[in-house]
Amino acid sequence: MSDASFLGIGGRFSYQGNGSDIRRNNGQASLSYNRFYHSLPFEWDLEFQGSGRIERTSEDKQEGSYDFEFHPGIRKYLNPLGNVFYSGELSIDRGENYDRPHIVVTPGLGYGRFIHVTPLARAVRIEEFLLEEGLIEGPLSKETLVALAQVINRESEYRTTYGPRYRVRWLEAMEEVIAESGRFVHGGLGGVGTVRIYEVLYQERVNQRFIGWWVRTGVEYQALTPFEHISRGDPGMSLRLRYSRPIGWRSQFGIDAEYTSPVTGDFGYDVFNVEVSLNYLYEVTNRIDFTVSNITTVNRRDPRFKTVFIERLQSGFLFYIENQILFKIGTDFHKVRGREIGHGLSMSIEYRLH
């Protein structure tokens, strides 16, 4: 079983332009919340992104607006040890120009699963810290790292068994695993080693790691349109693929692709939407991350119209100034076929509440 969450508030400043012209600049405050739960029979996750902003446009007008996105999803496996599941996904978003929230519901059936391997990343970070402090003679074997990760992943079990003072027993179990490798210089963690492990478990931010994939087919139903004068669209078929894999100990690669098309006479190529997101994260150090993502959207909303191609590339660095404070700087390039390349630069400060 794995359970993790993140809650943060932030602010940013950005500008947007086309060619040599700056179209607008704005200040923004944001709220982010992510949480997931993984077990053999059941998984769920949710993501919330909300922001409010004040913009000064090229006409020197000041405008205020807000928007948010909320995306929860659940997957229940027919057999706890199998890979077949039925699922439900909900998408609620409110754009600054919407009359009301846009709500889409997608029940489905799928195959595959993800394995949460963040505890292994924490074990590697602990190894790095112990090497820095000269507490172990050399790198730990893969078998020792896996055993240490298994103990880290059993935190809830230790909490249930030993109560408020479970951390003492939990750290002792980690020490025993490392001791069995014969790598300790002084026979144990000592005070310094205990403090460094505590930092990794409760203060250092270790990016979530997953390995695996799943594919899901379902029916997409538009429960509420964003504009009052527009009626609900026809239900559509939705086919979604997700894939994630760590590359070495420091990086993570992921794919999220979805195809949707209405279940009408326009099904297939006449009316459709395809979105493919590629994401890569590399931990430069335990305080600096590099991220890059590419989102490709191809859609055709009406058989009478041409297919629209949109490409968006984002990259940047994340600096962990303190354990709870994150500074982000990034670039953004987007291209719509037939138009100039759009570009932007953004900087933000984020404070981690939980």
Side-chain angles (χ1 to χ4, degrees):
M1 185 195 75
S2 301
D3 186 6
S5 63
F6 170 80
L7 174 63
I9 57 174
R12 65 182 288 184
F13 170 81
S14 66
Y15 83 88
Q16 295 178 334
N18 282 96
S20 59
D21 298 325
I22 296 177
R23 290 186 295 144
R24 64 180 62 199
N25 55 64
N26 67 62
Q28 176 177 298
S30 63
L31 174 67
S32 302
Y33 181 68
N34 296 278
R35 186 168 184 180
F36 69 85
Y37 171 87
H38 282 213
S39 67
L40 288 176
F42 182 71
E43 298 179 353
W44 63 265
D45 55 70
L46 63 86
E47 177 182 355
F48 176 85
Q49 299 283 341
S51 64
R53 66 180 61 83
I54 297 178
E55 293 184 316
R56 187 168 296 279
T57 67
S58 56
E59 292 81 21
D60 202 30
K61 295 181 179 179
Q62 186 165 295
E63 301 175 349
S65 61
Y66 76 95
D67 58 62
F68 68 82
E69 295 183 7
F70 180 55
H71 304 287
I74 59 171
R75 289 166 295 283
K76 179 69 171 67
Y77 287 86
L78 301 181
N79 183 337
L81 299 180
N83 292 314
V84 179
F85 63 84
Y86 57 90
S87 65
E89 297 174 19
L90 175 65
S91 175
I92 304 175
D93 65 277
R94 173 68 186 258
E96 56 183 280
N97 298 318
Y98 288 2
D99 296 330
R100 57 193 182 187
H102 181 209
I103 302 176
V104 177
V105 181
T106 308
L109 182 69
Y111 181 89
R113 70 165 69 229
F114 284 98
I115 300 173
H116 184 227
V117 293
T118 305
L120 185 56
R122 293 187 186 278
V124 173
R125 183 72 62 83
I126 288 172
E127 176 196 42
E128 293 176 352
F129 279 13
L130 296 182
L131 284 169
E132 288 178 6
E133 299 294 343
L135 297 175
I136 55 177
E137 295 176 344
L140 300 174
S141 66
K142 289 183 179 180
E143 293 75 15
T144 300
L145 288 172
V146 170
L148 181 58
Q150 290 172 343
V151 174
I152 293 172
N153 198 42
R154 291 166 55 197
E155 180 180 10
S156 60
E157 178 184 326
Y158 278 86
R159 184 187 297 113
T160 301
T161 304
Y162 298 106
R165 293 181 55 81
Y166 79 93
R167 290 176 181 172
V168 175
R169 297 298 185 98
W170 192 35
L171 288 169
E172 287 176 351
M174 295 182 211
E175 186 176 36
E176 289 175 7
V177 169
I178 301 172
E180 289 176 0
S181 71
R183 292 289 189 178
F184 274 132
V185 174
H186 304 295
L189 288 171
V192 174
T194 300
V195 169
R196 297 313 297 269
I197 288 181
Y198 189 89
E199 287 179 8
V200 173
L201 298 176
Y202 296 107
Q203 296 178 357
E204 289 275 326
R205 178 172 177 178
V206 178
N207 294 292
Q208 300 298 322
R209 301 285 208 284
F210 297 93
I211 183 170
W213 62 274
W214 56 248
V215 60
R216 184 270 298 149
T217 184
V219 178
E220 184 179 89
Y221 176 75
Q222 192 174 42
L224 193 65
T225 63
F227 302 103
E228 295 178 356
H229 65 279
I230 296 179
S231 59
R232 290 197 300 263
D234 295 319
M237 187 200 81
S238 170
L239 182 63
R240 187 178 183 188
L241 167 69
R242 294 190 66 186
Y243 171 86
S244 185
R245 186 175 183 85
I247 303 175
W249 298 120
R250 289 187 171 274
S251 59
Q252 176 85 26
F253 173 72
I255 300 174
D256 190 346
E258 184 172 17
Y259 165 86
T260 57
S261 183
V263 187
T264 64
D266 295 325
F267 175 77
Y269 183 74
D270 291 332
V271 177
F272 70 94
N273 184 78
V274 176
E275 183 169 296
V276 180
S277 176
L278 306 177
N279 301 282
Y280 177 75
L281 179 144
Y282 177 72
E283 293 182 350
V284 181
T285 71
N286 66 320
R287 293 280 184 178
I288 303 174
D289 292 344
F290 170 72
T291 64
V292 60
S293 67
N294 186 83
I295 302 174
T296 302
T297 304
V298 183
N299 68 61
R300 192 177 188 184
R301 300 186 182 278
D302 192 293
R304 299 168 297 174
F305 301 153
K306 292 183 178 180
T307 302
V308 177
F309 294 83
I310 304 172
E311 197 84 21
R312 185 162 201 159
L313 177 66
Q314 296 174 303
S315 65
F317 287 91
L318 288 68
F319 300 91
Y320 299 94
I321 302 172
E322 292 293 341
N323 295 321
Q324 304 296 107
I325 301 176
L326 175 65
F327 173 69
K328 300 179 182 179
I329 181 169
T331 58
D332 183 329
F333 298 91
H334 52 277
K335 170 68 175 175
V336 179
R337 180 176 289 183
R339 302 180 186 177
E340 291 186 358
I341 295 177
H343 54 81
L345 173 69
S346 64
M347 293 174 285
S348 66
I349 291 285
E350 184 175 274
Y351 181 77
R352 181 178 181 178
L353 298 172
H354 175 68

